[in-house]
Amino acid sequence: MERDLVVRLGGVGRRYGVRGPWVLRGVDLGIGAGTLVRVEGANGSGKSTLLRILAGIDTPSEGRVSGRPRTAFVPERFPAAMPFTALGYLTHMARVHGLARGAAERSAEQWLERFGAGGFLRTPLSHLSKGSSQKVAVAQALVAAPDLLVLDEAWTGLDTAARAELDRAVAERTVEGGSVVFVDHDPRRLAGAVEEAYAVDGTVVKRRTFEGTSPTADDRESAMRRGPTVVIVTRGPHGAELPGPVAAAAVETAAHAHAPASSYEGTRYEGTTYEGASCEATDAPVAGRVTRLMVPESHSDLVLRELLTARPPWHVVTVERAPVVPGPAPAPAPAPAPETDGRAHR
Ligand SMILES: Nc1ncnc2c1ncn2[C@@H]1O[C@H](COP(=O)(O)OP(=O)(O)OP(=O)(O)O)[C@@H](O)[C@H]1O
């Protein structure tokens, strides 16, 4: 199923200077609503150039860009020497994106807290460490829940907890219907959640195909099988539909999704196997709708939270990691850059 496109490039080319070599040429691609898209390619191939054009902060030398969703961008290098405190800057960015002052400040504070930088609200940007500056760089793109989020190596420089938080933020954006396009040196980043990938090669951008997947198929299950996946067995109230964010993030696997709910009522759940992973049987009698969900690991916190906080809540029967199904070799990636610990200097 093709999704609505939020932005489309048609015959796009970019060169720097009138006689400069073409970095990109004849690029045709569209970014679907709610889609997580990875861009790959060797150093200097033009990934950042492509991302800047998608984000609307650079214009192509030829060709057309159509669609301009509310967009936020995390550049590869964040210009941290601005005359703002962290809170002042994020509030300003949220207001630029249309939030009222109070909402902008609340959102700014929440995002700094989420990334573990709540202690630096009043710290001037120029006094922040590299890692804390990167937290601000990422938070500024998230404060106003953009329709299109473009991340250029945004995880680099974040500490482990902040990287995991950014994974969760990406999951939330896509579940809420936003699109996310990212470049990252780690080929495992968000593996299993990525639905489309493009490789910049020479001056062209090729849509990467995944083994067993047609390049145009909207096949979330197939996408999930390529990365770390969690299998959640859950039981919902009679007649309840899965909470919206869960339905958007997970795939119901055939064994249970299509079985009549009544077949589980008052019976002991026997467990089953999925790709070699066994689900533990529960001793409790299971009533209501039992559903078996396959979720990218990066999205599992979000899905569990939504199930447990639904009104009425769903009961989580088992949670297990499923083994990764071997897929095509990842594209060559440059060596990971050293991570910094994100400590700020006051
Ligand atoms: N502002 C600019 N002026 C001139 N040349 C540029 C400019 N920005 C990028 N280039 C050139 O365009 C080419 C592609 O650069 P780009 O940064 O898009 O590649 P990249 O794939 O993101 O690289 P990396 O993986 O190293 O970040 C490179 O040759 C680069 O030198």
Side-chain angles (χ1 to χ4, degrees):
M1 185 185 73
E2 284 294 332
R3 300 183 188 188
D4 292 341
L5 298 181
V6 292
V7 60
R8 183 199 291 269
L9 308 188
V12 158
R14 179 70 168 108
R15 71 204 302 189
Y16 295 97
V18 280
R19 291 203 185 76
W22 288 98
V23 175
L24 299 173
R25 200 95 207 256
V27 178
D28 294 301
L29 64 84
I31 304 298
T35 307
L36 178 58
V37 181
R38 179 185 180 96
V39 173
E40 304 166 344
N43 285 132
S45 58
K47 302 181 296 297
S48 296
T49 299
L50 177 61
L51 260 51
R52 285 196 298 266
I53 291 171
L54 283 169
I57 62 158
D58 189 16
T59 48
S61 313
E62 64 179 19
R64 256 174 9 100
V65 181
S66 35
R68 180 41 54 215
R70 254 178 358 96
T71 303
F73 179 53
V74 179
E76 198 175 6
R77 285 174 207 85
F78 177 62
M82 289 178 284
F84 288 102
T85 62
L87 180 64
Y89 175 63
L90 292 188
T91 304
H92 170 75
M93 291 306 287
R95 297 212 69 196
V96 166
H97 285 285
L99 268 62
R101 171 160 290 283
E105 269 183 16
R106 278 192 300 280
S107 180
E109 284 182 19
Q110 280 165 8
W111 280 105
L112 285 173
E113 292 287 348
R114 278 186 67 168
F115 284 108
F120 306 119
L121 293 176
R122 316 268 168 215
T123 307
L125 293 180
S126 56
H127 293 193
L128 293 175
S129 71
K130 204 161 166 257
S132 294
S133 289
Q134 188 60 14
K135 292 177 181 182
V136 173
V138 169
Q140 63 78 25
L142 291 160
V143 278
D147 298 324
L148 173 62
L149 176 62
V150 181
L151 305 173
D152 195 351
E153 301 268 4
W155 287 263
T156 302
L158 295 179
D159 54 39
T160 306
R163 287 202 299 271
E165 195 57 46
L166 181 53
D167 287 354
R168 278 191 283 277
V170 167
E172 287 169 8
R173 282 310 322 123
T174 53
V175 162
E176 287 166 10
S179 310
V180 181
V181 182
F182 75 98
V183 166
D184 195 69
H185 60 255
D186 183 350
R188 292 159 304 175
R189 176 77 56 216
L190 297 168
V194 171
E195 293 162 282
E196 289 184 9
Y198 290 92
V200 185
D201 184 5
T203 59
V204 300
V205 176
K206 298 177 184 162
R207 186 163 178 170
R208 257 192 69 189
T209 59
F210 297 104
E211 204 172 55
T213 307
S214 124
T216 56
D218 178 20
D219 187 345
R220 295 175 59 219
E221 180 168 342
S222 170
M224 284 181 201
R225 283 167 191 263
R226 292 190 297 270
T229 306
V230 171
V231 174
I232 299 171
V233 177
T234 180
R235 171 166 43 91
H238 275 292
E241 291 298 320
L242 280 173
V246 174
V251 167
E252 291 184 57
T253 58
H256 292 75
H258 304 306
S262 60
S263 62
Y264 297 98
E265 282 177 21
T267 63
R268 185 170 179 276
Y269 172 58
E270 292 297 339
T272 184
T273 59
Y274 168 71
E275 300 289 347
S278 67
C279 285
E280 293 297 319
T282 171
D283 290 333
V286 174
R289 176 184 173 188
V290 174
T291 302
R292 194 159 179 272
L293 301 166
M294 184 165 61
V295 191
E297 196 173 54
S298 54
H299 291 49
S300 60
D301 284 1
L302 172 72
V303 165
L304 288 168
R305 191 177 69 209
E306 291 293 334
L307 290 169
L308 296 170
T309 58
R311 293 278 172 269
W314 287 55
H315 173 67
V316 174
V317 180
T318 57
V319 180
E320 288 211 340
R321 281 191 79 169
V324 176
V325 174
E339 304 288 358
T340 61
D341 66 5
R343 272 179 302 198
H345 311 298
R346 285 180 195 256

